[in-house]
Amino acid sequence: MNVVYIHASRFGNGAAVAEEFRRASRGTVTVRHMREVRPSDLPPADLYVFSSPGRLGKPIRGMRRFLSGVTLPPGAVTRAISAMRLAPMRRTSLD
C-alpha cells in the first residue's frame, strides 16, 4: 500500500507521529510537511493521511486552508487526524 502522510507539525510532535506511522506500516509511506507540497500537486497514493494539531476541536487554520485546496483522485481514501496537546496533569493531595 502506498501512503502519503501530510502533517502540520510546528514543534516536531506531528513529525514524530508520522515517523512512527512509517515504521509501523507495511507499505511505502511518504511523509511531508504541508509547506513542502502544494495541495493541487499531491503524489499518487492509495491512502492519504492529513495530521494537524487541534484548536477548539478543529485542525489548525493552516491545515484547513491546505485541505480546502486539495483535489484527490476519484475513489482515494483519506483520513484526517487532529490532536490537541494535553497539559501535564498536576498531582494533588488526593492522588
Side-chain angles (χ1 to χ4, degrees):
M1 176 178 271
N2 184 18
V3 179
V4 173
Y5 192 113
I6 308 293
H7 67 87
S9 178
R10 179 185 242 176
F11 300 106
N13 296 327
V17 170
E19 287 304 319
E20 185 62 31
F21 186 87
R22 182 193 316 233
R23 279 193 303 189
S25 179
R26 295 181 189 178
T28 303
V29 179
T30 303
V31 176
R32 295 283 181 262
H33 191 279
M34 67 178 195
R35 291 184 182 143
E36 297 174 352
V37 294
R38 291 195 312 236
S40 59
D41 293 335
L42 293 177
D46 300 314
L47 172 67
Y48 295 89
V49 178
F50 301 96
S51 172
S52 169
R55 182 98 175 141
L56 300 173
K58 298 178 185 176
I60 60 172
R61 182 178 15 190
M63 180 57 88
R64 289 194 317 262
R65 200 173 315 130
F66 180 88
L67 290 171
S68 70
V70 170
T71 52
L72 298 175
V77 178
T78 61
R79 293 294 177 258
I81 303 169
S82 179
M84 297 177 69
R85 182 175 179 201
L86 300 176
M89 293 182 61
R90 289 188 280 171
R91 297 194 73 86
T92 64
S93 60
L94 300 175
D95 289 341

